[in-house]
Amino acid sequence: MSDIQISCLTKRFGNAAVLQELDLTVRDGEFLTLLGASGCGKSTLLKLIAGLDTPDTGTIRMGDRDLLALSPSARDCAMVFQSYALYPHMTVRENISMPLVMRGLGFWGRLPGARLVSPGVRRRLADIHASAHEVARRLAIDGLLDRKPAHLSGGQRQRVALARAMVRHPSVFLFDEPLSNLDANLRHALRAEIRQLHDQLGVTFIYVTHDQHEAMSMSDRVAVMREGRILQVAPPEDLYMRPQSLEVARFVGAPRINVVPGDILANGEIHCLAQRIADTAGNGGPCRVAFRPQAVTLAKAPGLTVRGVVGHVEYAGAELMATLTLPSQGEACIVCLPAGTAAHAGAEFEVTVPWEALHVFDAGGQRMSIGRCDTLKRVA
Amino acid sequence: MSLTDWQFGATTLNWVGLQNYAELWSDAVFRKSVANTLVYLVLVTGGSITLGLSLALLIESDRSGRGFYRTAFFMPVASTLIAMAVVWEFLLHPSAGLVNHLLQQVGVAPQNWLNDRHLALYSLAAIGIWQMSGLALVFFLAGLQGIPRDVRDAAELDGIERPFDRFRFVTWPLLGPTTLFVITVCAIRALQVFDTVHVLTKGGPNKATEVLLHTIYTEGFSFFRMGYASAMTVVFIAGIFLLTQIQHAALERRTHYA
């Protein structure tokens, strides 16, 4: 067991490049999530690691083994699919046993009558069924072993698929949106269970999802993908607090991060909404200033003042989501306010974004390192 | 009508009860006819399914030209069998036929395909297979397409990698409902065989290719024994009904599968 090194991986379908010279290192034993909108290539990447598809160029290595030279079953990866992908004609026990049957019994041993003829086959089959039972017990589905998948609920089916993956003790688990077909409550419960499983097994998990809550709540690290590239790989907290690009900032967090235009003067001062917010070593030009709806405060704190006219107000239990239209730019921002705040449609309203909650991106959308304005006085 | 002795054109009509059926039971021609029909049914159903499934697997493994093959093999199903029967008559002609000509090229003695007592039924079955396997092929292609990609992928990761294993553990079981459906469709159509028999052999030689529908036709419209023919028809319809019931059961199971 060791790190998985993916380098320069490219995959095309016809003319469309699904993955473009992608590099990624998955650390041994970590829970890594590939996060992206549908069509960004995350599932393709997973299939390439599993060996269900072959890349056009690039390598995938695991320690000193070249995974691309191995057949899917020899790669020591198990996969859990969104559609469960159980064998509909087999019982739960047979489903879970299948990987062991294929590995433990030879061609003759797998023939239908072999069990009746050979005591050796009978013994091995008994061992296999015992392992299947053990795994099933662990996932609390040992009462369902004689049923067929058609008679199980979605959550039970996914547990069976999980058991089928666990039974052969792989060194890497691959998950392809395993919870997307389940209802919200179950999704929540299974999320915690999968994370728990990871901590118990201590092996590498690679998890594909388009759901950022799933990604943020389960992973050690998240790789944000877009159009066949990886934008940023970082722990969830870093991703949220220090997005490396505007794309990542926009993708992570709900409601979406607010972006207002800013200017970098020739002397390196950054101005936004007619306020000096920071200094940079860079040259002059336009820039983008972003802040999260949840980062605003009503208190008179040092920071960027955002003043606008309240538009739509949405009540969300503990808080209000208000749309604020800024008069100067006509930009609409969404701000998250404590419940009970007197923000009425059509009224003027003012909030403050603390200095440390501001993100500045250059014209190309990359994060800029800025000198903090904490010590500066506002230039009104 | 099957309980009367009515004859076509006759003015009188007498109630005879189950006498027609009793006569059927001891009628050597009818027995021969039933036996022939069953042999034909088993041969055509088995042959069409084997051929259709093999072709479907071949076509599926190489996706280029799938549309062409599908059309090519489906053509016999769509074409008029009477016209095709005439073509086959020429192909199987003992002296001028292409089949014998080709067999001679590879050193096999020519056969009198349609007039040999021992061969005629099998020749007809071969034509039946030629006609039906296209239908089976199309159903199997659809069935193969219905096998989810994920299940194949999962199987591959589980170590089901060799074609034989894949067929045994994944493809064949998942095609089960399709196969049941194809069997009943083929069986019902095989039971209804009439056109090729009527055009090519007329039930001969020496009743060797006498099949149910043709016997009914002969009794009814050559010998004008309508009552007797009706009794046969009732038996025939009962057979079809039975097969349809099996088909229904098969379809039920198909819906349970997904």
Side-chain angles (χ1 to χ4, degrees), chain A residues 47 50 52 71-73 79 81 83 85-89 98-99 102-103 107 110 150 164 168, chain B residues 149-151 153-162 164-165 168-170 173-174 256-258:
Chain A
K47 286 198 167 171
L52 299 171
S71 74
S73 64
M79 192 155 168
F81 297 81
S83 63
L86 299 174
Y87 308 113
H89 55 288
M98 203 62 207
M102 291 310 293
R103 281 167 179 74
F107 175 80
R110 290 197 299 267
R164 182 176 61 177
R168 61 186 166 106
Chain B
R149 170 92 230 161
D150 282 353
V151 175
D153 285 349
E156 214 171 322
L157 287 171
D158 284 349
I160 305 176
E161 287 181 318
R162 282 184 304 179
F164 175 78
D165 287 330
R168 209 193 116 195
F169 288 115
V170 182
L174 265 67
H256 278 199
Y257 238 41

Side-chain angles (χ1 to χ4, degrees), chain A residues 193-245:
Chain A
E193 256 180 74
I194 291 177
R195 175 68 219 195
Q196 228 174 1
L197 203 62
H198 172 261
D199 296 342
Q200 285 169 13
L201 299 174
V203 298
T204 312
F205 276 37
I206 305 179
Y207 191 102
V208 162
T209 183
H210 64 266
D211 180 344
Q212 51 165 308
H213 295 293
E214 236 168 80
M216 302 299 261
S217 62
M218 297 167 83
S219 333
D220 294 325
R221 289 196 305 157
V222 178
V224 181
M225 288 185 70
R226 186 160 180 254
E227 287 171 3
R229 294 173 206 275
I230 288 181
L231 300 176
Q232 186 175 356
V233 191
E237 205 183 307
D238 272 16
L239 213 56
Y240 187 81
M241 303 300 286
R242 279 177 293 282
Q244 285 309 302
S245 62

